């Protein structure tokens, strides 16, 4: 049942008073500052005026000015950051989904598309003392057809800086009104270079999508951060895009089919070559079999390319043997030679794609790609890819969303079926896509600045808050240690904005954002599932207060 507005108003009023007057002491705490992996045991963390003011031993005497919060030996970590969200603009509420984020320890969000409404939110939050996660936002997407020249790119950066945005977002322009992308080919290399240069000159971080124009290599050369880890797969491991990939895939299938027919003919025509023709036929059947169970991105393309190359070599060898076979009919002889030429032509055309793809997917090539990424940030957003997305269970959180969205997302089965079919039709099988992301993430480890991001509210079923926990556990599952995983949602996020002195760790002088956990997350990230309370901008919200805020936004 929805709480009466006057009760909620009273609760929030108390929160505003706390924001102004509370001086807090978190006693008997095990503190994970995130400066390193050390756990500071039995400490007291002092907070005043929204800042950390000291970290003391538990036996230090405290003045009566402090409001004591006994942590009872539990664990304090810095507030978490979701580095890739899309804030939903409700008509009657500022940051309606804030309780969902806070309930999962998310005290800061990076909004990836801003407008005048969101800019006004930041002012209202500050002026009205609203207790919500800290918001950093980009401006409107920058790309053609609205930015076409170097001068226009520079002017757009200056315009967004004047509006107070925190970073630049390079992205295909999408019209909410028309529900379609207006960007067609992308900006020129000169325009892109001018955009990045203008952002650097104005001390504004820049992130965005990989694009075919400018080329992915240009993006990395200019050290633009990537809003999605999957950009490596979409624009490097499949360098010509899924359309070109599917075209070459079809040619390869036809080549394999013709080789199979060719091997059958040779089997019956030449007893001497039956062993080779049998091997060739079986190889083709094997390639067809694995074709429909593998996605041709990432390391799996290495296996397939090598097998395909072997088939080509064997088929060429048998082709020359077949060339020396003579049929009784002149027409059959001409036909046999024609079939051989067609087969070899198609395979040559197919190999012209597969061989470069093979080299792009070698271990050394991916290592070089990771080395080129050493000066950029990469936002993960792996949750919305393939099996990671299909495995989501957000049934308990849907009730907290805006009702039209909750109703639509609760009946997503037809949509997910269509989505899954699209993946299958393009040969992008979901299991290996996820495996390829794992490979890229492991290569970027220790090189790129990896940031946890979910694309919350930018994609169906990616619900604020809980999605961040899914994403963190996925990052951990894919090879990063618990400490490294937590860095992606704390220190690494601050580094992207060049605000390491403001947030990301529990240190004197930094913004007082913390999460109180029952257990040590450095041992197991499942500890994130048991949050006892959240401190945001120096405002303490215990579990009861958070539940009241969630109750207020529950849909009817």
């Amino acid at each position: 049942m929805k709480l009466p507005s006057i009760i909620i108003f009273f609760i929030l009023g108390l929160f505003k008073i706390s924001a102004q007057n509370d001086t807090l002491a978190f006693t008997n705490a095990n503190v994970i500052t995130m400066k390193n992996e050390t756990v500071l045991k039995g400490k007291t963390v002092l907070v005043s005026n929204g800042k950390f003011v000291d970290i003391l031993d538990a036996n230090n005497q405290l003045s009566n000015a402090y409001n004591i919060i006994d942590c009872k030996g539990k664990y304090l970590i810095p507030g978490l950051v979701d580095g890739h969200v899309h804030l939903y603009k409700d008509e009657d509420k500022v940051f309606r989904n804030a309780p969902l984020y806070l309930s999962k320890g998310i005290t800061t969000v990076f909004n990836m598309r801003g407008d005048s409404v969101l800019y006004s939110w930041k002012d209202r939050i500050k002026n009205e003392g609203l207790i919500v996660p800290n918001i950093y936002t980009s401006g409107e997407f920058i790309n053609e057809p609205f930015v076409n020249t170097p001068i226009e790119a520079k002017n757009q950066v200056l315009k967004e800086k004047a509006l107070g945005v925190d970073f630049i977002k390079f992205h295909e322009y999408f019209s909410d009104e028309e529900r379609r992308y207006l960007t067609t080919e992308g900006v020129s290399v000169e325009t892109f270079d001018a955009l990045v240069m203008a952002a650097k000159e104005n001390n504004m971080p820049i992130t965005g999508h990989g694009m075919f124009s400018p080329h992915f290599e240009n993006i990395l050369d200019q050290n633009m951060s990537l809003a999605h880890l999957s950009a490596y797969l979409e624009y490097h491991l499949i360098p010509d895009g899924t359309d070109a990939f599917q075209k070459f895939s079809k040619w390869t299938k036809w080549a394999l089919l013709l080789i199979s027919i060719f091997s059958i003919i040779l089997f019956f025509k030449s007893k001497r070559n039956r062993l080779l023709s049998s091997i060739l036929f079986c190889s083709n059947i094997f390639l067809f079999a694995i074709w429909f169970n593998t996605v041709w991105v990432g390391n799996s393309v290495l296996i397939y390319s090598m097998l395909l190359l072997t088939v080509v070599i064997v088929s060429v060898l048998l082709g020359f043997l077949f060339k020396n076979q003579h049929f009784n009919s002149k027409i059959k002889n001409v036909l046999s030679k024609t079939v051989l030429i067609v087969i070899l032509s198609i395979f040559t055309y197919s190999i012209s794609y597969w061989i470069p793809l093979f080299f792009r997917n070698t271990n050394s090539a991916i290592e070089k790609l990771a080395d080129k990424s050493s000066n950029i940030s990469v936002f993960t957003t792996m949750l919305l890819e393939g099996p990671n997305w299909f495995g989501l269970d957000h049934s308990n959180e849907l009730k907290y969303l805006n009702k039209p969205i909750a109703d639509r997302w609760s009946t997503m089965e037809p949509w997910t079926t269509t989505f899954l079919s699209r993946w299958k039709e393009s040969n992008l099988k979901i299991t290996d896509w996820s495996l390829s992301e794992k490979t890229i993430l492991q290569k970027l480890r220790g090189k790129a600045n990896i940031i946890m991001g979910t694309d919350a509210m930018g994609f169906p079923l990616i619900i604020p808050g809980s999605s961040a926990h899914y994403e963190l556990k996925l990052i951990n599952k894919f090879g990063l240690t618990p400490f490294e995983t937590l860095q992606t949602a704390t220190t690494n996020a601050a580094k992207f904005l060049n605000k390491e002195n403001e947030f990301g760790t529990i240190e004197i002088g930094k913004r007082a954002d913390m999460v109180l956990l029952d257990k040590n997350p450095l041992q197991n990230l499942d500890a994130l599932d048991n949050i006892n309370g959240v401190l945001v901008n120096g405002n303490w919200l215990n579990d009861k207060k958070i539940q009241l805020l969630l109750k207020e936004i529950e849909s009817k």
Side-chain angles (χ1 to χ4, degrees):
M1 178 178 144
K2 198 169 187 178
L3 291 176
S5 297
I6 189 160
I7 295 178
I8 297 297
F9 178 80
F10 175 71
I11 294 168
L12 293 179
L14 290 177
F15 288 174
K16 291 180 183 179
I17 293 170
S18 296
Q20 295 172 0
N21 299 323
D22 266 6
T23 302
L24 306 173
F26 293 82
T27 62
N28 302 315
N30 293 320
V31 183
I32 301 172
T33 65
M34 288 306 297
K35 291 172 59 179
N36 50 50
E37 279 190 82
T38 303
V39 179
L40 304 179
K41 296 184 177 180
K43 297 294 181 179
T44 294
V45 178
L46 302 183
V47 174
S48 182
N49 296 319
K51 304 284 185 182
F52 295 118
V53 295
D54 213 342
I55 300 176
L56 308 172
D57 291 330
N59 56 8
N60 276 266
Q61 294 294 318
L62 300 175
S63 73
N64 294 331
Y66 287 99
N67 292 316
I68 306 297
I69 298 167
D70 187 356
C71 297
K72 301 178 181 178
K74 296 177 181 179
Y75 292 81
L76 287 171
I77 64 171
L80 302 176
V81 180
D82 189 336
H84 188 138
V85 310
H86 293 271
L87 296 179
Y88 179 78
K89 292 168 285 188
D90 198 293
E91 292 181 0
D92 60 347
K93 288 184 180 294
V94 173
F95 206 162
R96 183 187 190 280
N97 292 325
L100 281 168
Y101 285 108
L102 294 173
S103 69
K104 301 300 181 181
I106 308 298
T107 58
T108 300
V109 295
F110 295 175
N111 178 57
M112 286 288 174
R113 188 183 187 184
D115 59 17
S116 58
V117 174
L118 292 176
Y119 306 151
S120 69
W121 279 16
K122 297 183 74 173
D123 292 333
R124 286 189 60 187
I125 290 167
K126 181 179 180 180
N127 296 333
E128 298 176 25
L130 302 180
I131 301 177
V132 298
N134 303 280
I135 300 173
Y136 297 97
T137 185
S138 76
E140 181 55 90
F141 295 155
I142 297 181
N143 212 319
E144 59 90 2
F146 299 103
V147 171
N148 298 286
T149 67
I151 293 297
E152 290 176 345
K154 292 179 181 179
N155 289 339
Q156 186 62 30
V157 170
L158 293 174
K159 177 182 177 182
E160 296 201 355
K161 182 179 181 180
L163 289 170
V165 306
D166 301 288
F167 57 94
I168 301 296
K169 179 71 179 289
F170 177 66
H171 187 291
E172 310 93 302
Y173 189 82
F174 183 80
S175 172
D176 291 320
E177 294 75 21
E178 301 180 47
R179 305 303 302 169
R180 67 185 182 91
Y181 284 101
L182 301 183
T183 299
T184 54
E185 298 179 355
V187 298
S188 66
V189 172
E190 294 76 18
T191 301
F192 175 75
D193 290 349
L195 173 66
V196 176
M197 183 60 67
K200 290 179 180 178
E201 290 173 350
N202 288 278
N203 298 315
M204 299 186 72
I206 179 170
T207 187
H209 282 197
M211 295 284 289
F212 295 120
S213 179
H215 194 273
F216 190 65
E217 296 291 332
N218 296 115
I219 288 175
L220 292 183
D221 288 339
Q222 286 289 356
N223 293 327
M224 185 189 85
S225 295
L226 296 171
H228 297 274
L229 179 78
S230 60
Y232 289 94
L233 281 70
E234 295 171 353
Y235 300 102
H236 180 81
L237 301 185
I238 311 179
D240 299 312
T242 54
D243 290 340
F245 176 79
Q246 290 181 56
K247 179 177 69 174
F248 279 101
S249 298
K250 289 176 182 178
W251 281 111
T252 303
K253 289 178 185 177
W254 277 109
L256 289 172
L257 178 61
L258 289 173
I259 284 288
S260 299
I261 296 172
F262 163 66
S263 61
I264 293 172
I265 294 173
L266 188 61
F267 180 87
F268 290 104
K269 178 63 181 175
S270 173
K271 292 182 180 180
R272 184 178 58 183
N273 298 316
R274 282 187 174 178
L275 178 60
L276 281 176
S277 58
S278 298
I279 293 173
L280 182 60
F281 179 77
C282 292
S283 299
N284 276 278
I285 296 301
F286 179 70
L287 286 172
F288 267 116
I290 64 171
W291 183 279
F292 294 101
N293 290 284
T294 311
V295 51
W296 305 123
V297 295
N299 289 342
S300 56
V301 79
L302 302 180
I303 300 172
Y304 190 80
S305 297
M306 293 180 70
L307 290 171
L308 188 60
L309 188 58
T310 302
V311 168
V312 171
I313 294 171
V314 174
S315 64
V316 170
L317 175 63
L318 287 179
F320 282 106
L321 294 173
F322 187 60
K323 179 183 177 183
N324 297 324
Q325 301 295 319
H326 295 284
F327 292 92
N328 296 329
S329 166
K330 184 177 181 179
I331 295 177
K332 288 184 178 180
N333 275 313
V334 172
L335 182 61
S336 67
K337 304 302 185 292
T338 304
V339 170
L340 178 61
I341 292 171
V342 170
I343 290 172
L344 295 179
S345 297
I346 292 177
F347 252 125
T348 300
Y349 185 55
S350 178
I351 288 300
S352 69
Y353 180 83
W354 285 109
I355 295 302
L357 193 62
F358 172 87
F359 285 108
R360 281 179 176 269
N361 285 271
T362 59
N363 189 63
S364 60
I366 297 177
E367 286 281 4
K368 289 180 180 178
L369 191 67
D371 289 338
K372 290 190 70 172
S373 305
S374 60
N375 293 320
I376 69 170
S377 296
V378 179
F379 298 81
T380 55
T381 63
M382 295 183 296
L383 193 62
L384 56 82
E385 306 289 355
N388 311 320
W389 183 73
F390 289 108
L392 290 178
D393 179 13
H394 283 318
S395 54
N396 292 329
E397 284 88 14
L398 281 172
K399 62 185 178 182
Y400 298 120
L401 296 181
N402 176 278
K403 194 171 188 307
I405 293 178
D407 291 343
R408 186 164 68 250
W409 286 9
S410 64
T411 56
M412 290 294 290
E413 183 59 32
W415 194 90
T416 56
T417 302
T418 302
F419 186 79
L420 183 58
S421 299
R422 182 163 62 84
W423 276 64
K424 289 181 176 178
E425 288 169 3
S426 62
N427 294 314
L428 297 176
K429 289 302 178 65
I430 56 182
T431 52
D432 265 22
W433 181 276
S434 182
L435 179 62
S436 298
E437 284 192 317
K438 178 179 179 179
T439 300
I440 293 293
L441 185 66
Q442 290 175 343
K443 296 297 183 185
L444 293 175
R445 179 185 182 187
K447 295 179 180 179
N449 183 47
I450 302 170
I451 300 173
M452 185 274 287
T454 62
D455 218 340
M457 299 304 289
F459 200 80
L461 299 181
I462 308 297
I463 292 179
S466 57
S467 295
H469 286 200
Y470 276 112
E471 186 79 19
L472 286 168
K473 291 174 184 178
L474 192 61
I475 294 169
N476 180 221
K477 177 183 175 182
F478 279 2
L480 273 66
T481 66
F483 178 73
E484 290 171 329
T485 300
L486 288 173
Q487 282 183 310
T488 70
T490 52
T491 54
N492 292 3
K495 183 178 179 180
F496 168 70
L497 291 176
N498 300 313
K499 293 184 181 295
E500 297 98 319
N501 293 327
E502 295 183 22
F503 69 96
T505 59
I506 300 176
E507 291 185 85
I508 296 172
K510 290 191 179 183
R511 189 171 66 222
D513 296 335
M514 285 195 305
V515 184
L516 181 62
L517 304 173
D518 279 345
K519 298 180 180 179
N520 184 356
L522 298 182
Q523 295 178 352
N524 192 322
L525 288 179
D526 287 342
L528 297 174
D529 297 335
N530 296 298
I531 292 176
N532 280 244
V534 176
L535 183 74
V536 55
N537 284 310
N539 301 292
W540 173 241
L541 304 176
N542 61 25
D543 185 60
K544 290 182 179 179
K545 292 178 181 178
I546 291 172
Q547 293 306 314
L548 286 172
L549 292 175
L550 286 171
K551 194 70 176 176
E552 170 62 12
I553 63 171
E554 187 173 338
S555 301
K556 294 299 170 185

